[in-house]
C-alpha cells in the first residue's frame, strides 16, 4: 500500500490510473478504523481495480472543539488494518495541505440539513460537504463508499453529487454492529467497557420502536422510547425521530409510507453517539 500525503501526488497518481482505464473505488474516513470501514474497503476492492482510503480528521465538520481534540487518532493500527484488506492507496494529508486558506464556502441543503444532525450540529454538514467535494476532486473515484450509520450524511452526499454533477456512484452499506448491538463507530474507542454496555441500549431502543411501528401511533412510540432512554441515568438523549428515509423529515404518521427511518442521537458520558434503523412497514 502506498501512503500519500501530498494533494499534487494523489492527483497525479489518480489521473494516471484513470487514463490507463483503471476503475477507482474510494472510502473516505476519519481513521480509527473498525469493521464497518473494513466492510466498505472489502466491497471497494471487489468492485474496482484500485481502492483508495483517505484518513483525515476534518476540522471544519466539528462544531465542538473538544470532540475534535478527543477524536481517536490511531494511524499505525489503521495502516495495518488497511494492509490486511489489500487497500492500494492511503491518502493521509495534513490540515494545511487540504485547507490552504480559510474556506468561506457555504453549502445549503434545504430541509435536509434542518433536522437531526443538521439541527443539533450547526455547520457540520457544511464541513462534510466541503471536505467530501475536495476529496472527490483529488481522487476522482468511480465509486465512493459510505456507511448507513451516518444516514443523514449519506443523503447529504447524494444531494451534493447531484448538485455538483460529480461523475461517480455512491454506494451505501448497512451498519456493522458489535455483538451487543452497539453500532460500530470510531467514537466507541472513547467508551469504557461499562459505557459500551450502556450504549448498546440505544440499539435496544431502536428495536423497541421497530416492534411498535405497525401497531402504535408515531407520537406514542416516540414517548415510549424517550421514556425508556430517560430512565437510564448514564444516557442523555439528544433526539429520537421517526423520519422519511429519503427526505429525513419527521413523519407524523406512517399510514402512506412503505419505509421509515428510526434515528437516534445520545450522549453516553462525554461521547456523542448516533444510530438508526430502516424499517419496512405493514410487512407480513
Ligand atoms: O463519515 C466520516 O468519517 C466523515 O464525515 C467523512 C465522510 C470522512 C468526511 O470527513
Amino acid at each position: 500500500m502506498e501512503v500519500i500525503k501530498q494533494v499534487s501526488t494523489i492527483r497525479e497518481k489518480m489521473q494516471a490510473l484513470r487514463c490507463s482505464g483503471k476503475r477507482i473505488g474510494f472510502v473516505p474516513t476519519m481513521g480509527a478504523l473498525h469493521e464497518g470501514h473494513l466492510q466498505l474497503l472489502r466491497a471497494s476492492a471487489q468492485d474496482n481495480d484500485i481502492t483508495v482510503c483517505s484518513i483525515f480528521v476534518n476540522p471544519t465538520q466539528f462544531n465542538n472543539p473538544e470532540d475534535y481534540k478527543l477524536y481517536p487518532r490511531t494511524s499505525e493500527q489503521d495502516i495495518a488494518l488497511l494492509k490486511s484488506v489489500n487497500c492500494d492507496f492511503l491518502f493521509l494529508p495534513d490540515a494545511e495541505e487540504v485547507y490552504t486558506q480559510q474556506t468561506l464556502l457555504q453549502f445549503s441543503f434545504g430541509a435536509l440539513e434542518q433536522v437531526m444532525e443538521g439541527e443539533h450540529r450547526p455547520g457540520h454538514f457544511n464541513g462534510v460537504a466541503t471536505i467530501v467535494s475536495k476529496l472527490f476532486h483529488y481522487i476522482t473515484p468511480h465509486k465512493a463508499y459510505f456507511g448507513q450509520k451516518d444516514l443523514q450524511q449519506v443523503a447529504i452526499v447524494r444531494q451534493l453529487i447531484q448538485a455538483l454533477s460529480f461523475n461517480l456512484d455512491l454506494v451505501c452499506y448497512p451498519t456493522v454492529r458489535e455483538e451487543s448491538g452497539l453500532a460500530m463507530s470510531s467514537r466507541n474507542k472513547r467508551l469504557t467497557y461499562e459505557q459500551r454496555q450502556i450504549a448498546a441500549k440505544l440499539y435496544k431502543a431502536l428495536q423497541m420502536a421497530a416492534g411498535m411501528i405497525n401497531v402504535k401511533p408515531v407520537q406514542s412510540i416516540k414517548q415510549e422510547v424517550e421514556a425508556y432512554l430517560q430512565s437510564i441515568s448514564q444516557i442523555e438523549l439528544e433526539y429520537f425521530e421517526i423520519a422519511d428515509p429519503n427526505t429525513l423529515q419527521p413523519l407524523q404518521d406512517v399510514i402512506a409510507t412503505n419505509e421509515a427511518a428510526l434515528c437516534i442521537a445520545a450522549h453516553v458520558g462525554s461521547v456523542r453517539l448516533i444510530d438508526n434503523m430502516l424499517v419496512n412497514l405493514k410487512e407480513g
Side-chain angles (χ1 to χ4, degrees):
M1 182 177 72
E2 206 172 323
V3 181
I4 296 177
K5 289 182 87 80
Q6 246 67 47
V7 168
S8 56
T9 314
I10 194 85
R11 276 191 198 277
E12 278 162 27
K13 294 265 177 192
M14 295 301 120
Q15 217 171 0
L17 285 165
R18 260 200 170 245
C19 286
S20 66
K22 301 283 189 216
R23 293 195 62 82
I24 301 170
F26 176 44
V27 182
T29 82
M30 298 206 296
L33 302 180
H34 51 70
E35 189 52 39
H37 296 115
L38 299 185
Q39 168 185 253
L40 303 180
L41 288 154
R42 285 191 203 102
S44 170
Q46 215 165 32
D47 298 347
N48 304 282
D49 302 309
I50 298 291
T51 290
V52 182
C53 176
S54 65
I55 296 183
F56 179 61
V57 185
N58 173 37
T60 65
Q61 73 186 73
F62 285 82
N63 57 315
N64 175 350
E66 195 64 5
D67 189 26
Y68 175 63
K69 206 172 92 192
L70 296 177
Y71 198 87
R73 287 154 171 96
T74 58
S75 345
E76 259 175 51
Q77 243 174 289
D78 289 348
I79 289 174
L81 283 172
L82 288 170
K83 286 181 179 163
S84 78
V85 290
N86 298 321
C87 181
D88 300 290
F89 290 93
L90 166 60
F91 180 48
L92 189 65
D94 291 327
E96 300 75 47
E97 182 72 19
V98 173
Y99 292 109
T100 50
Q101 58 187 55
Q102 200 198 344
T103 170
L104 302 171
L105 213 53
Q106 286 296 323
F107 291 86
S108 173
F109 295 97
L112 193 50
E113 68 174 346
Q114 280 153 24
V115 292
M116 299 193 287
E117 292 305 280
E119 185 188 354
H120 288 83
R121 302 186 66 190
H124 170 63
F125 286 127
N126 203 62
V128 168
T130 305
I131 190 63
V132 168
S133 302
K134 281 173 177 275
L135 292 169
F136 284 171
H137 282 303
Y138 304 154
I139 314 283
T140 62
H142 294 84
K143 289 187 180 205
Y145 295 78
F146 290 82
Q148 189 203 302
K149 190 182 76 70
D150 297 298
L151 187 67
Q152 200 171 0
Q153 170 170 278
V154 172
I156 291 276
V157 173
R158 191 166 278 130
Q159 198 168 309
L160 180 77
I161 290 171
Q162 270 186 358
L164 294 183
S165 310
F166 282 109
N167 189 16
L168 60 93
D169 292 332
L170 185 156
V171 186
C172 179
Y173 268 79
T175 304
V176 179
R177 298 183 181 279
E178 295 186 2
E179 226 175 286
S180 64
L182 173 64
M184 291 210 183
S185 161
S186 302
R187 286 186 176 85
N188 291 355
K189 291 200 161 67
R190 291 183 49 211
L191 297 171
T192 63
Y193 176 78
E194 199 211 351
Q195 285 174 327
R196 275 184 183 232
Q197 314 305 307
I198 292 160
K201 308 241 188 263
L202 298 178
Y203 181 58
K204 207 170 158 213
L206 292 176
Q207 284 181 309
M208 222 173 104
M212 293 189 276
I213 199 81
N214 281 323
V215 283
K216 289 193 180 177
V218 162
Q219 286 315 318
S220 312
I221 301 173
K222 284 185 71 173
Q223 278 165 13
E224 282 194 41
V225 167
E226 283 164 10
Y228 167 66
L229 290 170
Q230 278 154 8
S231 74
I232 303 164
S233 61
Q234 298 95 325
I235 293 181
E236 196 190 318
L237 179 66
E238 204 166 277
Y239 63 76
F240 169 68
E241 284 296 349
I242 300 178
D244 179 291
N246 298 310
T247 65
L248 293 177
Q249 300 309 297
L251 292 170
Q252 299 312 321
D253 62 61
V254 294
I255 294 162
T257 321
N258 293 323
E259 210 183 12
L262 312 175
C263 304
I264 207 163
H267 293 260
V268 175
S270 62
V271 184
R272 185 177 185 279
L273 300 169
I274 57 171
D275 199 355
N276 67 78
M277 192 187 276
L278 295 176
V279 285
N280 285 321
L281 299 160
K282 320 279 179 321
E283 262 191 349

